[in-house]
Amino acid sequence: MYFILILFFFDQIKSQKIAFGSCYNYEDPESLIFFEIAKHKPDTFVWLGDAAYVTSKTSQNRRMSELNETIIEYKFNLTKYNPGYQKLLNTTQINGVWDDHDYNERDGIYSNPVKEMTRQLFLNFLDVRIDDERRFKKDGIYYSFKLKNTKIILLDVRWNRNPEQQDVLGQNQWIWLENELQDNEVDLFIIGSGSQILPNDRLFIDVWYLSSRNKLLSILKGKNVLLMTGDVHFAEILQDPCTNIIEVCSSGLSYGSHYRNILRGLFEFFAEIFQPDTYSQYYERFADKNYAIIDIDEKKISIYNESSLLYQVDFNKTTSIKCEDLESTPLIFKYFWNFKDKFNAFFSMLLFYQIVKALKLCIILLVLIILCVFGILKFFGLSIIIKRKTNEKIKQKNE
């Protein structure tokens, strides 16, 4: 009897802390980010896609499907046996779904010819049991699990993705999702998707088709729900002004403007500052390497980089954009909401980077000058010594 009461007590105090992220590249083996995630001791870490870039590169540096099963497994293992990830793997439960690069097709859709082979290797990477239904389900690897009174629903946005029908999930997954949302024992639903859901006014971003997005928001109406997404190589906290639904995007674990080449950094810098402010403000977007923590007990959402907290909000955050503004304001003007603040942020950040760059150049020049002076002095000092010794030898010879 006492044993049962003790078990009940520990179940009640069990925390509900979810860490998640996406987009980890095996070319970043020295990253400390998994060690940092492990320090939070989350109840689960959730992959939201691109846990490994198993797609292969052509000579033109384009991504295409990898057909060699051994190479796919090897690339997944480069992530799996990363020391930091092993630390995380040994301290918390790992869950997840895929996106295009671990689905093994760039911007992959339903017609991916290698999805069945890749499915088994991806589930091996997650250590999913051989008899788990995700290995045999005909239309994807979507599933759900619970933490206390919270249900985490992970959607497969690749297996059934159909551009002709503008459908992301496929008929069976839609029906399954609606049934999952009927769970009356759940206080909060958290829905995970490899690609972003809320944005519908951005260029060059792989998001849900508009009809599927609107259908999802309609299904979620009246539900206590959070969305978590990945893919875009920067983090942000979004909110729909019409439903107040919050979307937390964390991407990527290996990508950030401060760590990659100049062109990528420039792109991510402008993504951070000069996105339209429809669903997030400029100060809610971060181009550092990042991961997210959803603390359900504390009702807080946090975005971290490798060393510090970047941003934190409560579940009850509000947006300054009104629902009626979405339709009445042309897209071009949405870029200018909060323009003064964005303008100041742009130049302050630009000035900061210019100062850092100038300091680096000054340090490099100072070191070069010191080396040159040292070299010159050493050269002339050596020449004088050699000349002196030569004169002494000549003098001794003459004597």
Side-chain angles (χ1 to χ4, degrees), residues 66-77:
E66 176 57 63
L67 305 179
N68 189 310
E69 188 173 348
T70 302
I71 292 176
I72 297 171
E73 183 178 32
Y74 171 73
K75 289 181 177 179
F76 276 128
N77 284 340

Side-chain angles (χ1 to χ4, degrees), residues 28-44:
D28 189 26
E30 297 180 1
S31 172
L32 299 177
I33 201 159
F34 291 122
F35 286 110
E36 292 300 314
I37 297 171
K39 289 178 181 178
H40 293 277
K41 298 181 180 179
D43 297 282
T44 182

Side-chain angles (χ1 to χ4, degrees), residues 237 246 298-301 312-318:
I237 308 289
I246 295 172
E298 296 291 332
K299 291 183 168 47
K300 292 185 183 299
I301 301 164
Q312 188 175 78
V313 294
D314 296 327
F315 286 4
N316 60 354
K317 79 178 288 286
T318 57

Side-chain angles (χ1 to χ4, degrees), residues 309-336:
L309 175 68
L310 296 175
Y311 190 66
Q312 188 175 78
V313 294
D314 296 327
F315 286 4
N316 60 354
K317 79 178 288 286
T318 57
T319 174
S320 60
I321 308 300
K322 296 179 181 179
C323 183
E324 52 267 28
D325 293 337
L326 295 185
E327 298 299 328
S328 61
T329 307
L331 173 60
I332 188 65
F333 292 126
K334 293 175 184 177
Y335 283 87
F336 292 94

Side-chain angles (χ1 to χ4, degrees), residues 109-376:
I109 60 174
Y110 71 95
S111 58
N112 177 11
V114 294
K115 64 184 183 182
E116 185 56 60
M117 173 185 69
T118 310
R119 173 193 358 212
Q120 301 304 324
L121 296 171
F122 177 74
L123 295 176
N124 289 346
F125 163 73
L126 291 179
D127 293 324
V128 172
R129 297 191 322 270
I130 296 298
D131 60 346
D132 192 287
E133 66 171 349
R134 282 171 285 172
R135 291 188 180 273
F136 313 106
K137 198 180 292 182
K138 292 182 179 179
D139 53 354
I141 61 170
Y142 54 90
Y143 72 111
S144 69
F145 63 98
K146 284 185 178 180
L147 287 179
K148 205 173 174 181
N149 296 328
T150 299
K151 178 180 279 190
I152 295 91
I153 301 171
L154 300 181
L155 302 176
D156 186 335
V157 299
R158 292 297 167 186
W159 192 281
N160 303 295
R161 198 181 191 99
N162 191 321
E164 291 85 14
Q165 298 178 9
Q166 293 289 285
D167 186 13
V168 173
L169 300 184
Q171 183 179 2
N172 290 340
Q173 191 172 182
W174 281 115
I175 295 171
W176 172 84
L177 174 60
E178 292 194 62
N179 288 333
E180 289 291 311
L181 293 169
Q182 300 306 313
D183 193 336
N184 295 323
E185 296 179 354
V186 171
D187 296 330
L188 173 67
F189 295 95
I190 298 180
I191 296 178
S193 162
S195 52
Q196 286 191 307
I197 298 170
L198 292 181
N200 60 2
D201 56 0
R202 298 181 180 180
L203 302 174
F204 314 118
I205 300 252
D206 185 13
V207 296
W208 280 43
Y209 303 127
L210 184 59
S211 58
S212 289
R213 170 199 181 272
N214 292 342
K215 181 177 179 178
L216 177 65
L217 294 183
S218 176
I219 291 172
L220 298 181
K221 189 175 181 180
K223 301 289 184 183
N224 188 18
V225 62
L226 281 175
L227 305 176
M228 55 183 188
T229 60
D231 180 61
V232 291
H233 293 187
F234 62 90
E236 63 178 325
I237 308 289
L238 308 104
Q239 187 169 20
D240 177 35
C242 298
T243 62
N244 286 324
I245 289 175
I246 295 172
E247 177 179 328
V248 191
C249 179
S250 179
S251 175
L253 292 161
S254 289
Y255 293 100
S257 61
H258 311 303
Y259 300 87
R260 309 303 290 179
N261 61 52
I262 293 173
L263 288 177
R264 182 185 294 279
L266 190 63
F267 168 78
E268 289 170 342
F269 173 76
F270 278 96
E272 187 176 1
I273 297 293
F274 288 115
Q275 292 277 11
D277 289 338
T278 318
Y279 301 104
S280 66
Q281 310 303 305
Y282 71 93
Y283 53 83
E284 296 176 304
R285 300 188 282 265
F286 307 93
D288 286 7
K289 294 181 182 181
N290 65 87
Y291 61 93
I293 299 285
I294 299 176
D295 191 323
I296 298 164
D297 296 321
E298 296 291 332
K299 291 183 168 47
K300 292 185 183 299
I301 301 164
S302 309
I303 301 289
Y304 291 85
N305 65 11
E306 281 188 299
S307 59
S308 61
L309 175 68
L310 296 175
Y311 190 66
Q312 188 175 78
V313 294
D314 296 327
F315 286 4
N316 60 354
K317 79 178 288 286
T318 57
T319 174
S320 60
I321 308 300
K322 296 179 181 179
C323 183
E324 52 267 28
D325 293 337
L326 295 185
E327 298 299 328
S328 61
T329 307
L331 173 60
I332 188 65
F333 292 126
K334 293 175 184 177
Y335 283 87
F336 292 94
W337 284 338
N338 298 317
F339 183 74
K340 181 180 177 182
D341 292 335
K342 291 166 77 172
F343 188 78
N344 291 335
F346 171 75
F347 278 102
S348 64
M349 190 174 290
L350 193 67
L351 179 62
F352 171 75
Y353 285 121
Q354 291 301 321
I355 291 172
V356 171
K357 189 176 179 181
L359 285 173
K360 284 181 179 178
L361 287 173
C362 288
I363 292 170
I364 292 170
L365 287 173
L366 182 61
V367 170
L368 288 174
I369 289 170
I370 291 171
L371 289 174
C372 286
V373 170
F374 179 75
I376 290 169

